[in-house]
Amino acid sequence: MSDYILSDETRARLKRISTASIATQLYKRGLRNQFIQGVVPVSPKAENMVGQAFTLRYIPAREDRNPLEVFRNADHPQRVAIETCPPGHVLVMDARKDARAATAGSILITRLALRGAAGVVSDGGFRDAEGIGALDMPAYFAKPSAPTNLTLHEALDINVPIACGDAPVFPGDVMVGDRDGVMVIPAHLADEIAEVCAGMESFEDFVLEEVKAGAPIIGLYPCTKEENQKKFEDWRKKTGR
């Protein structure tokens, strides 16, 4: 568990930063496995998903432990996770990259959204994916899957370290999702990454403008020519970036 609390300032910055920029900055710091593999947006949203991780771990289902009647148990971990994920957090589910059965459906995810969650990520499937995609809350999954989670998954642990799409996720880590996918920022690096990436995004916007205007990449990206650095500085003054 992390004592880190995501500030409004850092959240706002990360809302404007791409997962690609975050991946590059984490790579510079020696972290190469922070992108959740194999998940996509259920439905693309206008702004990034940003929030601290609240986790749910599934293990392979054993048939004698997972009849439909288990949902009558008020302590069932899947239901408890939906009802206890803090507002502003992202529920992250470890389904062992097995999307042959759902990890949740539209009723539970709608409840999660109405409770104020910032998003949901599963490296497994969702049932009723169309309904989940219609929500304002961002959601990421491997693919649609009709079978109930009990078919293959047993929800076991809440808010423990997990794997999701081969990436390690610790409770309190900062999740950032865009149309490309989801990055996991270790909590202790979140403020630093947000600050550095804000400047990086500005530079890449400048570079894209130059490329569209016909500029060659060499000496521009990365910026190794003084003339391009001067152009960038002038562009920042002009644009207020």
Side-chain angles (χ1 to χ4, degrees):
M1 291 291 291
S2 170
D3 294 329
Y4 174 80
I5 297 176
L6 179 65
S7 69
D8 291 341
E9 180 182 7
T10 294
R11 186 188 295 271
R13 280 179 168 171
L14 292 172
K15 288 270 189 181
R16 302 188 299 268
I17 294 169
S18 71
T19 54
S21 292
I22 293 168
T24 297
Q25 289 303 321
L26 289 175
Y27 180 86
K28 288 181 177 181
R29 290 157 179 78
L31 297 170
R32 304 182 178 188
N33 190 36
Q34 300 303 117
F35 185 70
I36 296 183
Q37 299 292 332
V39 307
V40 295
V42 177
S43 175
K45 304 301 180 187
E47 65 177 15
N48 286 2
M49 174 189 76
V50 180
Q52 291 185 256
F54 184 85
T55 65
L56 174 65
R57 184 172 76 98
Y58 284 100
I59 65 169
R62 199 178 76 188
E63 289 78 0
D64 63 327
R65 290 176 53 88
N66 289 279
L68 277 173
E69 289 74 20
V70 298
F71 287 144
R72 295 180 177 272
N73 180 1
D75 295 326
H76 188 272
Q78 184 203 43
R79 268 54 177 176
V80 172
I82 295 294
E83 293 294 341
T84 57
C85 179
H89 282 56
V90 174
L91 178 60
V92 187
M93 294 188 256
D94 173 5
R96 311 172 317 284
K97 300 192 299 180
D98 191 342
R100 293 176 298 156
T103 49
S106 64
I107 292 176
L108 269 64
I109 301 304
T110 297
R111 172 61 179 164
L112 184 71
L114 290 173
R115 292 193 59 256
V120 60
V121 182
S122 172
D123 63 0
F126 286 150
R127 66 199 312 194
D128 312 314
E130 183 176 356
I132 293 172
L135 297 170
D136 290 335
M137 183 187 74
Y140 294 79
F141 70 158
K143 66 178 184 178
S145 187
T148 175
N149 65 302
L150 302 175
T151 309
L152 291 169
H153 308 303
E154 178 177 344
L156 193 67
D157 293 319
I158 296 173
N159 223 28
V160 298
I162 62 170
C164 187
D166 292 328
V169 182
F170 290 83
D173 282 350
V174 177
M175 314 296 294
V176 179
D178 62 10
R179 294 185 179 218
D180 285 351
V182 181
M183 290 296 300
V184 186
I185 307 176
H188 69 281
L189 290 174
D191 295 341
E192 175 186 338
I193 294 294
E195 182 176 359
V196 172
C197 283
M200 182 178 173
E201 292 274 309
S202 295
F203 176 68
E204 291 194 347
D205 287 346
F206 159 74
V207 168
L208 190 57
E209 285 188 17
E210 290 292 297
V211 168
K212 286 180 176 179
I217 286 295
I218 296 172
L220 174 64
Y221 190 68
C223 187
T224 57
K225 290 185 177 179
E226 187 175 338
E227 63 192 77
N228 287 327
Q229 182 62 39
K230 177 65 167 55
K231 280 186 180 180
F232 176 52
E233 292 169 0
D234 292 342
W235 179 89
R236 293 191 74 178
K237 290 176 184 177
K238 178 181 175 182
T239 61
R241 301 282 298 277

